[in-house]
Amino acid sequence: MSFYIGREASKLWKRFCAETTTEINLLAENWKYLLAGVVFQYIHGLAARGVHYFHRPGPTLQDLGFFLLPELGQERAYLSETLFTTIFVSFVLWTFHPFILKNKKIYTVLIWCRVLAYLVASQALRIVTFYSTQLPGPNYHCREGSELATLPPPKSVLEVLLINFPHGVLYGCGDLIFSSHMIFTLVFVLAYQKYGTRRCIKQLGWLLAVIQSLLIIASRKHYTVDVVVAWYTVNLVVFFVEKKLPELPDRSSATTALLLPLSSKDRDGRTKEESHKLLNGNTVDPADRRQRTQANGKILENGTTHHADSAKNGA
């Protein structure tokens, strides 16, 4: 029993090391895209912090979702954050599953490059939207009478740049249209929908996205319009960004520890060329471009004729 456990542990360690080597090579090629995506997360947080200085509390706007869904109250507002954290952590763990599991379909670095591209495009639209019009926040700490509803003018630039993390992120006001929580949720669900393998998890993901939408409205963190706009905006963003990006390589067809496999077009072209050479009796070595044909006992090579019996009579 101990021998079996040791052997499996050895296989797992070898798989982890091989995967780490592959991902490091990919990271060396794509670190600029990852860094740009991470930096934009800070820019998005900075923009959300900045709009809080412009927020002016007022009466909560009339909202259909508020009329249909009972208010959870401050003591149960954590339900929305708990579900969001569960979705977030689950997706992050899934993107790192190639380091452990055998059924690997994605590269961690490449999937995060794609996910960050979705997030950046959606968040850029969000920044433009909530700076265009500031609505009175429906959240408990953004209503009239709350000390957190407005911010005093900043005393220094550093106060703005530090964004008072994480307090400033959790208790922000004014960045309403459209919901940032729904951006992350929908991007994660759409990414797994395309690159995941378990159908039941895909269905569960969409169900959790719907529940997340209802909890956000019920906890009064956003108006219904913030959630509705997020649903069609993020789906459209992912659709158009996906059309502009190249297809991710499919690991199921990879036979070697490669950095980035050939595109399907190049791979198909090379396969056809090699098959044609094999059928003609030629080598598949791309460095060997000599044409060889055989007819009536003669071998023709590079236009020179050699008789098969040229060695007769001492010749």
Side-chain angles (χ1 to χ4, degrees):
M1 182 66 178
S2 60
F3 173 75
Y4 176 78
I5 295 176
R7 185 178 61 180
E8 291 300 315
S10 177
K11 290 181 179 179
L12 180 62
W13 175 249
K14 291 179 180 179
R15 186 182 308 129
F16 178 83
C17 293
E19 192 67 27
T20 300
T21 303
T22 302
E23 294 292 346
I24 289 176
N25 291 331
L26 288 172
L27 182 61
E29 294 186 357
N30 299 277
W31 66 271
K32 294 180 181 179
Y33 305 110
L34 292 174
L35 181 61
V38 173
V39 169
F40 195 86
Q41 299 309 302
Y42 168 74
I43 296 175
H44 175 259
L46 188 65
R49 175 67 173 177
V51 80
H52 196 169
Y53 290 101
F54 300 103
H55 178 256
R56 295 295 177 266
T60 303
L61 302 179
Q62 184 175 350
D63 190 276
L64 179 61
F66 292 175
F67 177 76
L68 297 176
L69 296 174
E71 190 171 352
L72 291 177
Q74 285 184 282
E75 65 278 1
R76 292 189 296 274
Y78 69 91
L79 293 175
S80 173
E81 289 297 329
T82 301
L83 179 58
F84 175 76
T85 303
T86 301
I87 295 173
F88 189 95
V89 173
S90 299
F91 181 81
V92 171
L93 292 177
W94 171 73
T95 60
F96 285 92
H97 82 274
F99 287 86
I100 300 175
L101 302 180
K102 292 182 179 180
N103 53 339
K104 300 173 290 189
K105 187 181 179 182
I106 63 169
Y107 293 97
T108 302
V109 170
L110 298 184
I111 197 69
W112 273 110
C113 286
R114 192 153 298 228
V115 167
L116 286 172
Y118 302 154
L119 291 176
V120 168
S122 300
Q123 290 168 333
L125 293 176
R126 180 175 188 261
I127 293 173
V128 173
T129 306
F130 66 63
Y131 265 102
S132 300
T133 304
Q134 289 86 48
L135 304 179
N139 211 337
Y140 308 106
H141 63 269
C142 297
R143 299 175 184 177
E144 290 181 302
S146 173
E147 296 180 357
L148 301 174
T150 57
L151 292 178
K155 299 178 181 179
S156 64
V157 177
L158 187 62
E159 181 181 340
V160 180
L161 295 179
L162 292 179
I163 65 177
N164 194 18
F165 184 85
H167 188 272
V169 176
L170 296 176
Y171 294 97
C173 298
D175 56 326
L176 292 175
I177 301 177
F178 40 98
S179 171
S180 178
H181 282 59
M182 288 309 302
I183 289 178
F184 279 90
T185 299
L186 291 172
V187 164
F188 292 163
V189 172
L190 288 167
Y192 189 84
Q193 175 70 30
K194 183 172 180 62
Y195 301 107
T197 55
R198 301 293 182 87
R199 183 179 179 183
C200 60
I201 298 181
K202 295 179 182 180
Q203 295 172 343
L204 177 62
W206 287 112
L207 177 61
L208 292 180
V210 173
I211 296 175
Q212 177 73 68
S213 303
L214 299 177
L215 287 177
I216 288 175
I217 298 172
S219 60
R220 303 302 188 254
K221 294 182 177 180
H222 280 277
Y223 292 107
T224 305
V225 64
D226 305 338
V227 175
V228 172
V229 171
W231 268 92
Y232 63 73
T233 302
V234 175
N235 276 277
L236 289 173
V237 165
V238 172
F239 174 76
F240 285 108
V241 172
E242 187 69 29
K243 290 180 63 110
K244 296 295 182 180
L245 296 177
E247 284 290 332
L248 283 183
D250 187 1
R251 301 197 63 165
S252 60
S253 61
T255 57
T256 58
L258 60 158
L259 298 180
L260 280 176
L262 295 173
S263 64
S264 58
K265 181 179 179 180
D266 294 338
R267 185 170 60 248
D268 294 342
R270 184 174 179 178
T271 302
K272 291 179 180 179
E273 182 183 357
E274 291 178 355
S275 300
H276 180 70
K277 289 182 178 182
L278 286 172
L279 289 174
N280 288 328
N282 299 332
T283 177
V284 296
D285 184 2
D288 190 355
R289 300 296 181 181
R290 295 175 300 176
Q291 298 294 327
R292 299 180 177 89
T293 57
Q294 182 173 352
N296 300 325
K298 300 179 180 180
I299 301 176
L300 304 178
E301 181 173 341
N302 294 332
T304 304
T305 304
H306 298 278
H307 289 275
D309 56 348
S310 59
K312 291 183 179 180
N313 299 322

